[in-house]
Amino acid sequence: MAYVINDECLSCGACEAECPVSAISEGDGKYVIDADKCIECGACANVCPVGAPNPAE
Ligand code: SF4
Ligand code: SF4
């Protein structure tokens, strides 16, 4: 189950550099995670100031 970035995202970009598999990129109004690349390490959630990345339901 990949992580997903919710609408709380501030587009600060902090998570992009933390992702070990480069699954995160800037999207339209928020950053987005490529579900096919995400290995569910949680690094993005740990660095995010607003807790926007979470495991998908
Ligand atoms: Fe990248 Fe890990 Fe976040 Fe998935 S959980 S997007 S692999 S930092
Ligand atoms: Fe958005 Fe959080 Fe990533 Fe910043 S660290 S771009 S607020 S998901």
Side-chain angles (χ1 to χ4, degrees):
M1 201 76 73
Y3 274 56
V4 174
I5 294 173
N6 66 27
D7 290 343
E8 299 299 310
C9 176
L10 307 171
S11 292
C12 72
C15 56
E16 185 175 8
E18 297 298 317
C19 182
V21 295
S22 300
I24 307 175
S25 61
E26 188 168 11
D28 186 14
K30 66 176 186 176
Y31 273 61
V32 292
I33 293 170
D34 183 338
D36 292 331
K37 290 183 181 176
C38 179
I39 58 171
E40 304 152 58
C41 70
C44 52
N46 289 335
V47 74
C48 181
V50 294
N54 289 284
E57 295 286 324

